[in-house]
Amino acid sequence: MYLVFFILGLILAWVVSYAVFSRKIRTQTKKMVQLMRADELKLDRPDDAYEDDDGHFFADLERASYTLRRKYLRLKKNAFDERAVFETIFSGLTEAVVTVDRHLRIISFNTAFMQQFKWAPSVGTNSYYLQDVIREPEILESFKKVFSGEQAERKNIGEFQLFASLLPSVEDHKTWALGVFYDMSEIQKTEKIRVDFVANASHELRTPLTVIRGYADLLNANLQKENSPHTELSRPIVESAHNMTLLLNDLLNLSRLDNLNKIEKVKLNTKEVTADILGELEPIISMNNKKVICYFNEEHVFADYSSLTQVLRNLIVNAIRYSGTEKDSEVIDVRWNSLGTTTQLVVKDRGPGIGKEHQSRIFERFYRVDKGRNRNQGGSGLGLALVKHHTKMHGGQISVRSDVGEGCEFTCDFPNGL
């Protein structure tokens, strides 16, 4: 009998203990859940967070929960403040900015981006893709190139310039790209005004310059017939008028190129094109005691005839003018090479060469390595700028290889295909 009462007492004690502890655990669990789910961003102690009885069974657990909550609130507040600063700076940028993932899903954007592309997110839609906002294939292709592992992409598209680059990866499986759109409309307007001014000024100057040159040639011819001692006085007028005419022609050619959006490429015979230019330049070649040797390792080039002849003419004239008068500098090489999908034009002289400090700037307009010497030789400083511009219009590029005393070698690459 005593054993039965003892067992019943144990069972009753267990039931009472279970009920008490279960109720207490549910109560404390509810408090901790409420504490952790609180959304208010305040760091002071929430009401009734835990009891002050240090001897309470759950006091340590409650304090740990409260400490964890404080840390969470502090981190959340810091993140909120940092995001507010970021969004303020981000929205204050005048350039359109967007970030996308590798699927071109838009992660973030600023107000300028919405204004630039006349777009706003729809209510209730959480996911947007770049192709839904921008229909320009070149822009989408630029972002795809960045994600394919290539370097940062910079491209002029319409009235803006796009700069796209990868962002530091937050996680291994999450890679984002940043795109910045610079508005180039005002710059393009200014550039068009400059181009139009140069073209109009050059055109208006040609008529009076033609008159001056005509009378100067006539005056010089009459003085030579009379063996007048004043002949030397008229020669600078003739030479200056001739150099000014060349300068205006170069300026007009550059203006036409600036206004030209596309060229018509055809399949040209390299021997025929070279022969045309050499026949045209025969007087200046003979007068300067030069010899042009040609090598045709490629029979054809895909180019615009007028544009290609200007490239070849300017490179040969440049080699004639600046290769010097020494005996060992009389030979000029013209080579046509085949390099995969590219046809190369190489013009090499054996003159004094160009120093390394000048090579990065020789394709700039009006830049001269030796200003005094070039002016005496009639150079305008536009020849190589024209060559570079014509080559770029073909989708190619130009480069120079030179050392002082070793001559110059100019290489123009022309991509194959129409």
Side-chain angles (χ1 to χ4, degrees):
M1 181 67 69
Y2 291 106
L3 181 60
V4 173
F5 283 111
F6 178 74
I7 293 174
L8 291 175
L10 287 177
I11 293 174
L12 181 62
W14 179 82
V15 171
V16 172
S17 299
Y18 175 80
V20 172
F21 277 94
S22 176
R23 179 174 175 277
K24 189 64 175 178
I25 288 173
R26 285 197 299 269
T27 302
Q28 296 304 322
T29 301
K30 184 178 179 180
K31 284 185 179 183
M32 287 187 288
V33 170
Q34 290 175 346
L35 183 66
M36 295 304 297
R37 288 182 176 177
D39 290 331
E40 65 274 9
L41 288 176
K42 59 181 181 180
L43 298 180
D44 55 338
R45 174 173 169 267
D47 294 337
D48 197 25
Y50 60 87
E51 298 178 5
D52 294 330
D53 184 7
D54 291 338
H56 195 275
F57 183 82
F58 292 97
D60 291 339
L61 182 59
E62 291 174 347
R63 289 190 179 91
S65 175
Y66 172 61
T67 301
L68 182 61
R69 176 60 185 168
R70 282 177 61 90
K71 291 181 179 180
Y72 164 73
L73 288 177
R74 186 176 291 107
L75 291 175
K76 187 174 181 180
K77 184 176 186 303
N78 292 339
F80 181 83
D81 293 341
E82 290 177 0
R83 183 175 180 85
V85 172
F86 168 76
E87 290 181 348
T88 301
I89 297 174
F90 198 57
S91 61
L93 293 174
T94 57
E95 292 81 12
V97 181
V98 64
T99 57
V100 298
D101 62 15
R102 60 175 54 256
H103 301 294
L104 300 188
R105 184 172 64 89
I106 296 177
I107 305 300
S108 61
F109 53 89
N110 64 350
T111 305
F113 178 80
M114 293 190 294
Q115 294 174 347
Q116 176 76 47
F117 296 100
K118 298 177 176 61
W119 169 81
S122 303
V123 178
T125 305
N126 297 323
S127 183
Y128 313 95
Y129 288 86
L130 196 62
Q131 53 266 35
D132 298 330
V133 180
I134 303 173
R135 303 292 184 179
E136 183 62 49
E138 288 186 77
I139 297 177
L140 302 177
E141 190 63 29
S142 296
F143 279 97
K144 291 177 181 178
K145 285 183 179 179
V146 170
F147 280 114
S148 66
E150 298 184 15
Q151 296 180 348
E153 184 81 1
R154 186 183 294 273
K155 180 176 289 188
N156 291 326
I157 304 172
E159 293 186 348
F160 54 84
Q161 183 184 78
L162 167 64
F163 177 78
S165 64
L166 285 179
L167 291 173
S169 180
V170 179
E171 299 177 20
D172 292 338
H173 62 285
K174 288 185 179 180
T175 304
W176 295 350
L178 171 70
V180 183
F181 299 84
Y182 298 94
D183 187 2
M184 305 292 288
S185 57
E186 290 301 321
I187 296 177
Q188 290 177 354
K189 286 180 182 179
T190 304
E191 182 67 14
K192 189 176 187 307
I193 292 173
R194 183 190 65 81
V195 170
D196 291 343
F197 171 77
V198 172
N200 293 333
S202 301
H203 182 74
E204 293 298 326
L205 285 172
R206 291 189 70 175
T207 301
L209 186 59
T210 302
V211 174
I212 294 172
R213 185 178 176 185
Y215 280 109
D217 288 338
L218 181 61
L219 176 62
N220 187 60
N222 290 334
L223 291 176
Q224 286 181 349
K225 286 181 181 179
E226 299 173 0
N227 293 322
S228 172
H230 300 295
T231 302
E232 293 299 323
L233 299 178
S234 66
R235 186 171 300 165
I237 302 175
V238 176
E239 292 177 352
S240 297
H242 176 71
N243 292 338
M244 184 62 72
T245 301
L246 294 177
L247 174 61
L248 290 180
N249 289 337
D250 287 344
L251 287 172
L252 284 173
N253 287 331
L254 278 174
S255 297
R256 293 191 189 102
L257 283 175
D258 288 333
N259 289 315
L260 187 64
N261 295 323
K262 189 177 180 181
I263 58 174
E264 296 295 331
K265 296 198 293 184
V266 296
K267 189 176 182 180
L268 300 174
N269 186 284
T270 55
K271 289 185 178 179
E272 294 177 358
V273 174
T274 306
D276 291 345
I277 296 302
L278 292 181
E280 175 187 328
L281 298 178
E282 179 58 33
I284 187 174
I285 293 173
S286 300
M287 185 172 61
N288 288 272
N289 299 317
K290 299 296 182 182
K291 184 187 298 183
V292 180
I293 301 178
C294 301
Y295 303 87
F296 299 98
N297 300 318
E298 174 58 50
E299 294 183 1
H300 299 96
V301 60
F302 292 87
D304 175 81
Y305 177 82
S306 176
S307 183
L308 181 62
T309 53
Q310 289 202 50
V311 170
L312 190 55
R313 182 187 300 110
N314 277 288
L315 286 178
I316 295 177
V317 170
N318 187 76
I320 292 172
R321 282 177 174 168
Y322 307 125
S323 59
T325 58
E326 291 76 9
K327 180 67 176 177
D328 56 355
S329 65
E330 64 180 7
V331 177
I332 297 172
D333 295 333
V334 175
R335 297 177 181 271
W336 290 96
N337 299 324
S338 178
L339 187 64
T341 59
T342 301
T343 299
Q344 282 189 339
L345 167 63
V346 182
V347 177
K348 177 178 175 57
D349 64 61
R350 292 165 175 78
I354 301 174
K356 299 293 184 183
E357 68 275 14
H358 298 291
Q359 292 182 19
S360 62
R361 299 194 59 193
I362 58 175
F363 298 107
E364 295 178 8
R365 301 181 183 187
F366 300 106
Y367 184 80
R368 296 173 176 179
V369 176
D370 186 342
K371 297 178 174 56
R373 182 168 65 90
N374 289 359
R375 188 175 290 108
N376 293 334
Q377 293 172 332
S380 64
L382 291 173
L384 292 178
L386 276 167
V387 172
K388 179 180 178 180
H389 212 134
H390 280 291
T391 305
K392 288 182 66 177
M393 289 295 294
H394 286 83
Q397 58 184 3
I398 183 173
S399 60
V400 60
R401 186 171 64 182
S402 178
D403 286 309
V404 176
E406 299 294 332
C408 294
E409 181 178 287
F410 290 93
T411 302
C412 296
D413 296 327
F414 296 94
N416 294 335
L418 301 175

